[in-house]
Structure formats: C-alpha cells, structure tokens
C-alpha cells in the first residue's frame, strides 16, 4: 500500500517530502536551510534534526515525520 502511495504521489508517506528528482541538490540545501532558519525563529534555538525512517531525508523537530524518541543527529 505504501509503495502504491509513493508511486502515485511521489512523496514520502511519513514526512511528505518529494522522493523523486525534481529538485537539484543546491535547491534542496537552500530549502533545508530556510526550514532550519524558520524553525530556529519559532523555537528560539536550533531545531533538532533526524533522518526520516521511511525515506532517509532530513526532517526537523516539529515537522511531519519527526519522531521524538529516535536517535538525534545534529547536522548543524
Ligand atoms: Zn520521509
């Protein structure tokens, strides 16, 4: 079921990020940076980060796909 969902939408069922190559690597870094900046303003500190357990993409604290109990990886 998840596989079908992914095929239809091109998005991760857990975090909702795009899975296929519509974005260039540089765009993706910019997007991640802007998300981190936004969350830093909201949280008033650097957000925690982790990799989505479904697709392995970076998810920040408070975003869909972020799981509190998972091991945290600080990429900033
Ligand atoms: Zn994901």
């Amino acid at each position: 079921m998840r596989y079908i969902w992914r095929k239809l939408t091109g998005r991760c069922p857990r975090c909702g990020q795009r899975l296929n190559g519509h974005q260039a690597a540089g765009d993706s870094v910019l997007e991640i940076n802007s998300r981190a900046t936004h969350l830093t303003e909201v949280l008033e500190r650097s957000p925690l980060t982790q990799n989505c357990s479904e697709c392995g993409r970076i998810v920040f604290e408070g975003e869909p796909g972020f799981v509190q109990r998972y091991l945290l990886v600080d990429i900033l």
Side-chain angles (χ1 to χ4, degrees):
M1 197 57 191
R2 274 193 169 162
Y3 176 73
I4 296 167
W5 167 265
R6 200 176 306 185
K7 233 186 158 180
L8 288 175
T9 63
R11 286 174 184 273
C12 174
R14 185 174 293 272
C15 70
Q17 296 189 67
R18 283 186 180 281
L19 295 173
N20 41 27
H22 287 306
Q23 282 181 322
D27 290 338
S28 161
V29 169
L30 280 179
E31 191 223 296
I32 287 167
N33 280 340
S34 71
R35 279 157 57 201
T37 303
H38 172 72
L39 284 164
T40 301
E41 287 168 4
V42 172
L43 298 167
E44 297 183 332
R45 61 178 169 79
S46 293
L48 301 172
T49 65
Q50 65 184 206
N51 291 98
C52 176
S53 59
E54 192 74 28
C55 68
R57 299 216 170 197
I58 291 166
V59 287
F60 291 108
E61 193 177 0
E63 292 187 329
F66 187 89
V67 182
Q68 289 290 353
R69 66 192 158 81
Y70 274 41
L71 193 65
L72 302 170
V73 181
D74 187 6
I75 59 150
L76 305 173

